[in-house]
Amino acid sequence: NPLVKPVANALYDTNTKKGAWVKDRNEGLFAPFPAAFSILMGVIFVLIGVFADRALLLLAEGDSNNVLQLAGVTLIGGASIELGRIASGEKMKSRADAERDSNLAQEFEEFSSKKLIYGQGGDVHRSEVIKSFRRYFAKYRVENDQYPLGDLEIEQLLRAWNKRMDNRETMSSSGFIKNVKINAQAE
């Protein structure tokens, strides 16, 4: 929202514990609002809504039916945009999620530098890479709550790595990547 950041930056110091959520928001991460700030934003939006209602009534020459119809259409449009953002995963990540993703990317980079060979022919199935990654990092060998990691996340890391390597061969629908193989001699 274009109003949240300016109002939050005006009211909170980002260097304090109370303003840490503003720092996360400024860095593009998700952080929940404090209750007092949510109430303040609610009051601001009610005032904006009342102003918009009065302005539209004035423009519509007092026809409240047109204003009500416009409000309903706007509400439906806004709700569908918000649901689309949620469904596509476009919502901001929290600091913990961003740090986890960064750590996973670094771990996969370490794994790929030692266990994956690119450019010497061959092909590999995604399940082989997933098994090899789980063997390489013991903490991911079994499913647990401390280090949760699904196969789909490893597959996404593999796809991103393949793209960074400029491999013209994308993953096939059956899960094979050409021109990549697992280094069986690596520890």
Side-chain angles (χ1 to χ4, degrees), residues 34 70 115 125:
L70 182 61
K115 295 288 281 180
H125 194 265

Side-chain angles (χ1 to χ4, degrees), residues 42-56:
V43 168
I44 290 172
F45 285 125
V46 165
L47 291 174
I48 291 172
V50 168
F51 174 76
D53 178 56
R54 294 296 143 197
L56 288 172

Side-chain angles (χ1 to χ4, degrees), residues 21-41:
W21 69 272
V22 179
K23 185 177 182 180
D24 287 350
R25 287 282 178 147
N26 288 340
E27 292 175 4
L29 301 170
F30 174 77
F33 300 148
F37 188 75
S38 295
I39 292 169
L40 174 66
M41 292 308 294

Side-chain angles (χ1 to χ4, degrees), residues 14-107:
T14 58
N15 297 323
T16 63
K17 186 176 181 179
K18 198 174 185 180
W21 69 272
V22 179
K23 185 177 182 180
D24 287 350
R25 287 282 178 147
N26 288 340
E27 292 175 4
L29 301 170
F30 174 77
F33 300 148
F37 188 75
S38 295
I39 292 169
L40 174 66
M41 292 308 294
V43 168
I44 290 172
F45 285 125
V46 165
L47 291 174
I48 291 172
V50 168
F51 174 76
D53 178 56
R54 294 296 143 197
L56 288 172
L57 271 174
L58 182 67
L59 290 172
E61 298 174 352
D63 188 2
S64 60
N65 285 336
N66 285 341
V67 174
L68 187 60
Q69 289 173 357
L70 182 61
V73 168
T74 304
L75 176 70
I76 291 169
S80 53
I81 288 172
E82 186 63 20
L83 286 175
R85 281 184 39 197
I86 292 170
S88 70
E90 213 176 288
K91 294 292 269 183
M92 294 184 293
K93 294 180 179 182
S94 68
R95 181 169 297 282
D97 290 341
E99 288 173 357
R100 179 180 179 272
D101 289 350
S102 174
N103 288 339
L104 276 174
Q106 289 173 353
E107 289 173 347

Side-chain angles (χ1 to χ4, degrees), residues 92-145:
M92 294 184 293
K93 294 180 179 182
S94 68
R95 181 169 297 282
D97 290 341
E99 288 173 357
R100 179 180 179 272
D101 289 350
S102 174
N103 288 339
L104 276 174
Q106 289 173 353
E107 289 173 347
F108 194 84
E109 196 61 40
E110 176 188 333
F111 162 77
S112 65
S113 68
K114 294 183 178 162
K115 295 288 281 180
L116 295 180
I117 300 172
Y118 168 71
Q120 295 180 7
D123 62 352
V124 67
H125 194 265
R126 66 177 169 236
S127 63
E128 296 173 49
V129 175
I130 291 169
K131 287 177 191 172
S132 181
F133 181 81
R134 290 191 185 279
R135 278 194 304 268
Y136 189 80
F137 288 104
K139 63 184 177 184
Y140 300 126
R141 285 188 184 156
V142 293
E143 289 188 31
N144 58 44
D145 293 335

Side-chain angles (χ1 to χ4, degrees), residues 116-177:
L116 295 180
I117 300 172
Y118 168 71
Q120 295 180 7
D123 62 352
V124 67
H125 194 265
R126 66 177 169 236
S127 63
E128 296 173 49
V129 175
I130 291 169
K131 287 177 191 172
S132 181
F133 181 81
R134 290 191 185 279
R135 278 194 304 268
Y136 189 80
F137 288 104
K139 63 184 177 184
Y140 300 126
R141 285 188 184 156
V142 293
E143 289 188 31
N144 58 44
D145 293 335
Q146 187 178 7
Y147 299 109
L149 181 64
D151 289 352
L152 187 59
E153 289 177 282
I154 300 171
E155 182 181 331
Q156 289 170 345
L157 290 167
L158 174 62
R159 286 178 190 266
W161 173 82
N162 192 43
K163 212 178 260 187
R164 278 194 312 274
M165 298 304 291
D166 291 328
N167 190 357
R168 296 180 193 270
E169 303 292 335
T170 60
M171 189 178 295
S172 70
S173 60
S174 59
F176 285 96
I177 298 180

